[in-house]
Amino acid sequence: MLPQDFTKRIKYMLGEEYEAFRESYKYEKYQAFRINGLKGSPERFLQHYGDIFRQAGQAEESFVPVPWCSTGWYYPADIRMGKYPYHEAGVYYIQEPSAMAPAEYLAAKPGERVLDLCGAPGGKSTQIAASMQGQGVLVCNEIHPARAKILSENIERMGVRNAIVTNESPDALSRIFVNYFDKIMVDAPCSGEGMFRKNPEARQEWSTENVGLCAERQAEILEAAAGMLKPGGRMVYSTCTFSPEENEDSISRFLHRHEEFYIEEVPMFDGMVPGNPEWCSRPAEHIERTIRLWPHKVRGEGHFLAVLCKRGSAPEESSGSRYGEEKGISLRECRECMEFCETYLKELPEGIPVRFGDKINLLPVGAPSLHKLKVLRAGLQLGTVMKKRLEPSHSLALALKPEEVVYSVSLPAEDGRIIDYINGQTFEQQGEKGWYLVCADGYSLGFGKLAGGIMKNHYPKGLRKMLR
């Protein structure tokens, strides 16, 4: 049952299409995942995917690309993608297919400064990170502490090296960063109407009052984002709702306040439709360049997005982080860290070393000062100094590839020893003693320490799963 006021409005918006929209609620939600480019090419992963389908008795032809995402794929509902070792290795991210579109339109590039302002749980942040290929500065923010923790965990699992995860309000960030970012993603909190099929509980929480409250909150978030984007930069605004008040109207109100912004015209994929000026009380110029995804037109849930560009150019003195760049320390100031890197890594990693107590992290080159920021994850954690040695972090393991380390062991994903490892057990292995990168089909899973023919398990206890 859909809320009565919601149904009345959708009937007005869709007219003759309403019946097709209503019929879409009878179908199961679409399942999809996005291959993580930080772990390797989609082609490499696709060499292995047949095993997943054969185990489930499915035809390989049922593995269908998501049209608007070059690394996105649909998969059958009875495939347990979250229970496969590749998931634990961060080889892919399970994501609603329509939600893959905004980050594709953001088109982040290596070397840029990028902000995901409302980042949890991490789908768009990790998609942006893959586009950046570890180069540049990615700030992933989430205002709610519990959700910020989930965001940080997904950044770790996907092997992201150059992300700074913050737990701030958009307004607080805007006071630190002025004309700083090349790209900003604003996946705004919304009334969630587009998720009614996927999440029936959202129907119970919906109200016309909440739609209005969401629109007010979105205006505040957009105001904060506007001052953080460099002139000449790009911002993508997205929601998972159908409400014009939160979509076309929200963008129109923003553009009337900010003449320095305009809606960029971008290509649309089959099934996508333009925004409708008739649904606005005062439509902004080119509001039809915004994009809607309807569940009766695409293989995905409801979504809205607008690609916004900021005119002009800013002088250097009026741009940047209020507290400058992070200075860090020299890696040679931490003897334990240097010894580990020189012994077990083939080359010293690039970045700005910073120390937090006994923890050693590596920030991306050009990272802003962390002063006055609530930071959950500062770049890549290398490890913890313990008893005059460095205990390497799980984050480091997930960010590394076998060719970057001195010792590694790679086993087939279906090998019982890989399952044992994820379940927290040791396994027999021959080789030189020391730290090893444990991999499934060449994809890093975590660290093990070999001694006496036994690979001791260093997979974090909190992440261990019974995959059998």
Side-chain angles (χ1 to χ4, degrees), residues 160-192:
V160 180
R161 302 185 185 203
N162 62 322
I164 300 169
V165 180
T166 58
N167 174 213
E168 296 281 3
S169 70
D171 183 61
L173 284 180
S174 71
R175 292 195 294 271
I176 294 176
F177 299 104
V178 178
N179 296 331
Y180 181 83
F181 294 101
D182 299 290
K183 306 277 176 66
I184 297 180
M185 170 64 68
V186 179
D187 185 38
C190 66
S191 57

Short mmCIF file of all heavy atoms in Angstrom, two decimals, residues 160-192:
data_model
loop_
_atom_site.label_atom_id
_atom_site.label_comp_id
_atom_site.label_asym_id
_atom_site.label_seq_id
_atom_site.Cartn_x
_atom_site.Cartn_y
_atom_site.Cartn_z
N VAL A 160 40.76 1.93 -0.70
CA VAL A 160 40.96 3.33 -1.08
C VAL A 160 42.12 3.92 -0.27
O VAL A 160 42.11 3.87 0.96
CB VAL A 160 39.68 4.15 -0.86
CG1 VAL A 160 39.90 5.60 -1.25
CG2 VAL A 160 38.51 3.55 -1.64
N ARG A 161 43.08 4.49 -0.95
CA ARG A 161 44.27 5.05 -0.28
C ARG A 161 44.16 6.54 -0.01
O ARG A 161 44.78 7.05 0.93
CB ARG A 161 45.52 4.82 -1.14
CG ARG A 161 45.82 3.37 -1.47
CD ARG A 161 47.13 3.26 -2.22
NE ARG A 161 47.39 1.88 -2.65
CZ ARG A 161 48.60 1.40 -2.92
NH1 ARG A 161 49.65 2.18 -2.81
NH2 ARG A 161 48.77 0.16 -3.30
N ASN A 162 43.45 7.27 -0.85
CA ASN A 162 43.54 8.74 -0.83
C ASN A 162 42.31 9.41 -0.24
O ASN A 162 42.04 10.58 -0.53
CB ASN A 162 43.78 9.26 -2.24
CG ASN A 162 42.64 8.92 -3.20
OD1 ASN A 162 42.08 7.84 -3.12
ND2 ASN A 162 42.31 9.82 -4.10
N ALA A 163 41.55 8.71 0.60
CA ALA A 163 40.33 9.28 1.17
C ALA A 163 40.52 9.73 2.61
O ALA A 163 41.15 9.04 3.41
CB ALA A 163 39.18 8.27 1.09
N ILE A 164 39.96 10.89 2.91
CA ILE A 164 39.88 11.39 4.29
C ILE A 164 38.40 11.36 4.67
O ILE A 164 37.59 12.04 4.04
CB ILE A 164 40.43 12.82 4.39
CG1 ILE A 164 41.91 12.85 3.96
CG2 ILE A 164 40.28 13.37 5.81
CD1 ILE A 164 42.46 14.25 3.78
N VAL A 165 38.05 10.55 5.66
CA VAL A 165 36.66 10.42 6.08
C VAL A 165 36.42 11.34 7.27
O VAL A 165 37.09 11.23 8.30
CB VAL A 165 36.30 8.97 6.46
CG1 VAL A 165 34.85 8.86 6.90
CG2 VAL A 165 36.55 8.04 5.26
N THR A 166 35.45 12.26 7.11
CA THR A 166 35.16 13.23 8.17
C THR A 166 33.72 13.07 8.66
O THR A 166 32.86 12.57 7.95
CB THR A 166 35.36 14.67 7.66
OG1 THR A 166 34.53 14.89 6.51
CG2 THR A 166 36.81 14.91 7.29
N ASN A 167 33.52 13.51 9.88
CA ASN A 167 32.20 13.48 10.53
C ASN A 167 31.85 14.91 10.92
O ASN A 167 31.98 15.31 12.07
CB ASN A 167 32.26 12.54 11.73
CG ASN A 167 31.00 12.54 12.57
OD1 ASN A 167 31.05 12.37 13.80
ND2 ASN A 167 29.85 12.74 11.96
N GLU A 168 31.43 15.70 9.92
CA GLU A 168 31.15 17.11 10.12
C GLU A 168 29.80 17.48 9.51
O GLU A 168 29.26 16.76 8.67
CB GLU A 168 32.23 17.97 9.44
CG GLU A 168 33.63 17.82 10.02
CD GLU A 168 33.82 18.61 11.31
OE1 GLU A 168 32.85 19.23 11.78
OE2 GLU A 168 34.96 18.62 11.82
N SER A 169 29.28 18.62 9.91
CA SER A 169 28.12 19.18 9.23
C SER A 169 28.61 19.87 7.96
O SER A 169 29.75 20.34 7.90
CB SER A 169 27.40 20.19 10.12
OG SER A 169 28.19 21.36 10.28
N PRO A 170 27.77 19.94 6.91
CA PRO A 170 28.18 20.66 5.71
C PRO A 170 28.59 22.10 6.00
O PRO A 170 29.55 22.62 5.42
CB PRO A 170 26.94 20.59 4.83
CG PRO A 170 26.26 19.32 5.23
CD PRO A 170 26.48 19.25 6.72
N ASP A 171 27.87 22.75 6.92
CA ASP A 171 28.19 24.14 7.25
C ASP A 171 29.58 24.26 7.86
O ASP A 171 30.34 25.19 7.54
CB ASP A 171 27.13 24.69 8.21
CG ASP A 171 27.36 26.15 8.53
OD1 ASP A 171 27.31 26.98 7.60
OD2 ASP A 171 27.59 26.48 9.71
N ALA A 172 29.94 23.31 8.75
CA ALA A 172 31.27 23.34 9.37
C ALA A 172 32.36 23.17 8.32
O ALA A 172 33.40 23.85 8.37
CB ALA A 172 31.38 22.25 10.43
N LEU A 173 32.15 22.27 7.36
CA LEU A 173 33.13 22.09 6.30
C LEU A 173 33.28 23.35 5.44
O LEU A 173 34.39 23.71 5.03
CB LEU A 173 32.75 20.92 5.40
CG LEU A 173 32.96 19.50 5.94
CD1 LEU A 173 32.52 18.48 4.92
CD2 LEU A 173 34.41 19.27 6.34
N SER A 174 32.16 24.03 5.20
CA SER A 174 32.20 25.22 4.34
C SER A 174 33.00 26.36 4.97
O SER A 174 33.48 27.25 4.26
CB SER A 174 30.78 25.68 4.02
OG SER A 174 30.14 26.24 5.16
N ARG A 175 33.13 26.34 6.30
CA ARG A 175 33.93 27.36 6.96
C ARG A 175 35.43 27.07 6.86
O ARG A 175 36.26 27.94 7.14
CB ARG A 175 33.50 27.49 8.42
CG ARG A 175 32.10 28.07 8.60
CD ARG A 175 31.86 28.52 10.04
NE ARG A 175 31.86 27.41 10.97
CZ ARG A 175 30.78 26.70 11.31
NH1 ARG A 175 29.60 26.99 10.77
NH2 ARG A 175 30.86 25.71 12.17
N ILE A 176 35.78 25.84 6.50
CA ILE A 176 37.19 25.46 6.37
C ILE A 176 37.65 25.49 4.92
O ILE A 176 38.76 25.92 4.61
CB ILE A 176 37.41 24.06 6.98
CG1 ILE A 176 37.17 24.10 8.50
CG2 ILE A 176 38.82 23.54 6.68
CD1 ILE A 176 37.25 22.75 9.18
N PHE A 177 36.77 25.05 4.01
CA PHE A 177 37.14 24.95 2.59
C PHE A 177 36.42 26.02 1.77
O PHE A 177 35.19 26.06 1.75
CB PHE A 177 36.79 23.56 2.05
CG PHE A 177 37.52 22.44 2.73
CD1 PHE A 177 36.87 21.63 3.65
CD2 PHE A 177 38.85 22.20 2.46
CE1 PHE A 177 37.52 20.59 4.28
CE2 PHE A 177 39.54 21.16 3.09
CZ PHE A 177 38.87 20.36 4.00
N VAL A 178 37.19 26.86 1.11
CA VAL A 178 36.63 27.93 0.28
C VAL A 178 37.15 27.75 -1.15
O VAL A 178 38.36 27.73 -1.38
CB VAL A 178 37.02 29.32 0.82
CG1 VAL A 178 36.47 30.41 -0.08
CG2 VAL A 178 36.53 29.49 2.26
N ASN A 179 36.22 27.60 -2.11
CA ASN A 179 36.62 27.42 -3.52
C ASN A 179 37.70 26.34 -3.65
O ASN A 179 38.66 26.49 -4.41
CB ASN A 179 37.14 28.73 -4.12
CG ASN A 179 36.07 29.80 -4.18
OD1 ASN A 179 34.89 29.51 -4.30
ND2 ASN A 179 36.49 31.05 -4.09
N TYR A 180 37.56 25.25 -2.91
CA TYR A 180 38.64 24.27 -2.76
C TYR A 180 38.50 23.07 -3.70
O TYR A 180 39.48 22.59 -4.26
CB TYR A 180 38.68 23.78 -1.31
CG TYR A 180 39.76 22.79 -1.00
CD1 TYR A 180 41.06 23.22 -0.70
CD2 TYR A 180 39.52 21.42 -1.00
CE1 TYR A 180 42.06 22.32 -0.41
CE2 TYR A 180 40.53 20.51 -0.71
CZ TYR A 180 41.79 20.96 -0.41
OH TYR A 180 42.79 20.06 -0.12
N PHE A 181 37.29 22.58 -3.90
CA PHE A 181 37.11 21.30 -4.58
C PHE A 181 36.82 21.48 -6.07
O PHE A 181 36.08 22.37 -6.49
CB PHE A 181 35.96 20.52 -3.93
CG PHE A 181 36.26 20.09 -2.52
CD1 PHE A 181 35.72 20.79 -1.44
CD2 PHE A 181 37.08 19.00 -2.27
CE1 PHE A 181 36.00 20.41 -0.14
CE2 PHE A 181 37.37 18.61 -0.96
CZ PHE A 181 36.82 19.31 0.10
N ASP A 182 37.40 20.56 -6.86
CA ASP A 182 37.13 20.52 -8.30
C ASP A 182 35.76 19.91 -8.58
O ASP A 182 35.08 20.30 -9.53
CB ASP A 182 38.19 19.69 -9.02
CG ASP A 182 39.59 20.26 -8.85
OD1 ASP A 182 39.85 21.32 -9.43
OD2 ASP A 182 40.40 19.64 -8.13
N LYS A 183 35.38 18.93 -7.78
CA LYS A 183 34.11 18.22 -7.95
C LYS A 183 33.48 18.01 -6.57
O LYS A 183 34.19 17.73 -5.60
CB LYS A 183 34.34 16.85 -8.61
CG LYS A 183 35.12 16.88 -9.94
CD LYS A 183 34.23 17.19 -11.11
CE LYS A 183 35.00 17.33 -12.42
NZ LYS A 183 35.63 16.09 -12.90
N ILE A 184 32.15 18.12 -6.52
CA ILE A 184 31.42 17.84 -5.28
C ILE A 184 30.21 16.98 -5.60
O ILE A 184 29.42 17.29 -6.51
CB ILE A 184 30.97 19.13 -4.57
CG1 ILE A 184 32.18 19.95 -4.13
CG2 ILE A 184 30.10 18.79 -3.35
CD1 ILE A 184 31.83 21.26 -3.41
N MET A 185 30.05 15.90 -4.84
CA MET A 185 28.85 15.07 -4.92
C MET A 185 27.95 15.43 -3.74
O MET A 185 28.38 15.42 -2.58
CB MET A 185 29.23 13.59 -4.84
CG MET A 185 28.03 12.64 -4.68
SD MET A 185 26.92 12.67 -6.08
CE MET A 185 27.95 11.93 -7.34
N VAL A 186 26.69 15.79 -4.05
CA VAL A 186 25.70 16.06 -3.01
C VAL A 186 24.57 15.06 -3.19
O VAL A 186 23.62 15.29 -3.92
CB VAL A 186 25.16 17.50 -3.09
CG1 VAL A 186 24.12 17.73 -1.99
CG2 VAL A 186 26.29 18.52 -2.96
N ASP A 187 24.71 13.91 -2.56
CA ASP A 187 23.64 12.91 -2.56
C ASP A 187 22.78 13.22 -1.34
O ASP A 187 22.97 12.66 -0.27
CB ASP A 187 24.23 11.50 -2.50
CG ASP A 187 23.17 10.42 -2.61
OD1 ASP A 187 22.22 10.61 -3.38
OD2 ASP A 187 23.29 9.39 -1.92
N ALA A 188 21.84 14.12 -1.52
CA ALA A 188 21.15 14.76 -0.40
C ALA A 188 20.19 13.83 0.33
O ALA A 188 19.50 13.02 -0.31
CB ALA A 188 20.39 15.98 -0.91
N PRO A 189 20.12 13.94 1.65
CA PRO A 189 19.08 13.22 2.40
C PRO A 189 17.71 13.63 1.87
O PRO A 189 17.47 14.82 1.61
CB PRO A 189 19.28 13.70 3.83
CG PRO A 189 20.68 14.22 3.88
CD PRO A 189 20.97 14.78 2.52
N CYS A 190 16.82 12.66 1.69
CA CYS A 190 15.54 12.97 1.06
C CYS A 190 14.43 12.10 1.66
O CYS A 190 14.67 11.29 2.56
CB CYS A 190 15.62 12.75 -0.45
SG CYS A 190 15.86 11.02 -0.92
N SER A 191 13.23 12.27 1.14
CA SER A 191 12.07 11.52 1.67
C SER A 191 12.05 10.08 1.21
O SER A 191 11.21 9.30 1.67
CB SER A 191 10.77 12.22 1.25
OG SER A 191 10.71 12.36 -0.16
N GLY A 192 12.94 9.69 0.30
CA GLY A 192 13.13 8.28 -0.04
C GLY A 192 12.01 7.63 -0.83
O GLY A 192 11.88 6.40 -0.81
#
